[in-house]
């Protein structure tokens, strides 16, 4: 009984100290800086769609507004939300405002490689051991 209590206490202390790794969770659109930087007033909806993809939020009451929402959660209880909002006049992009997680997909990928959480690339040639 005492060993079980000691193990439970040790596990609780380790999770509280941040020793246990918690994988970050991104949801929504992870936009690339090079695409957002190409936005120009007057672009058509189709051109914007080609750069950024479809917006995850389609508001039927504001059809001239596209919201690209993304969240990042690194620890329990701590979630960061960023929204990039594009405003259209007719079919033309009029203005945009807000924030996004620039290059978050690359940073997350590098972090996952550090911990060995990513699957191997299927296209890369694999080195086979020589048998003999």
């Amino acid at each position: 009984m005492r060993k079980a209590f000691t193990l439970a206490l040790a596990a609780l202390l380790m999770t509280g100290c941040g020793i246990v790794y918690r994988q970050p969770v991104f949801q929504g659109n992870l936009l690339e800086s090079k695409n957002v930087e190409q936005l120009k007033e007057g672009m058509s909806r189709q051109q914007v769609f080609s750069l950024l993809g479809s917006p995850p939020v389609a508001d039927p009451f504001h059809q001239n507004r596209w919201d690209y929402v993304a969240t990042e959660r690194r620890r329990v209880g701590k979630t960061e939300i960023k929204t990039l909002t594009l405003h259209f006049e007719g079919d033309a992009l009029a203005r945009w405002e807000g924030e996004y997680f620039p290059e978050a997909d690359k940073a997350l990928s590098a972090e996952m490689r550090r911990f060995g959480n990513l699957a191997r690339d299927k296209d890369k040639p694999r080195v086979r051991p020589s048998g003999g």
Side-chain angles (χ1 to χ4, degrees):
M1 182 70 172
R2 190 172 186 184
K3 283 185 179 183
F5 177 73
T6 305
L7 284 172
L9 182 62
L12 181 65
L13 291 174
M14 284 178 48
T15 57
C17 294
I19 295 173
V20 176
Y21 173 72
R22 287 190 173 83
Q23 180 173 344
V25 177
F26 287 93
Q27 292 181 318
N29 290 78
L30 294 178
L31 304 173
E32 294 185 22
S33 296
K34 67 179 183 176
N35 293 341
V36 175
E37 290 169 0
Q38 292 181 41
L39 290 175
K40 294 182 180 138
E41 290 183 21
M43 292 179 87
S44 70
R45 290 177 189 254
Q46 183 60 40
Q47 290 172 316
V48 173
F49 180 84
S50 296
L51 280 175
L52 304 181
S54 70
V57 177
D59 186 348
F61 300 108
H62 300 99
Q63 294 181 356
N64 287 330
R65 185 175 97 187
W66 287 3
D67 294 306
Y68 291 87
V69 180
T71 63
E72 174 189 22
R73 188 179 72 222
R74 291 209 173 257
R75 288 182 229 114
V76 177
K78 184 180 179 202
T79 302
E80 187 176 357
I81 302 171
K82 293 191 179 185
T83 304
L84 179 67
T85 303
L86 281 61
H87 299 273
F88 292 89
E89 291 179 4
D91 187 48
L93 179 62
R95 69 185 198 293
W96 57 95
E97 60 195 8
E99 299 179 301
Y100 62 100
F101 294 105
E103 313 305 332
D105 52 347
K106 291 179 184 177
L108 182 60
S109 176
E111 187 172 339
M112 294 300 101
R113 278 196 190 89
R114 193 175 82 205
F115 289 99
N117 296 26
L118 288 180
R120 289 190 174 135
D121 291 334
K122 293 179 182 177
D123 297 334
K124 287 185 178 179
R126 295 188 181 182
V127 178
R128 296 181 183 223
S130 58

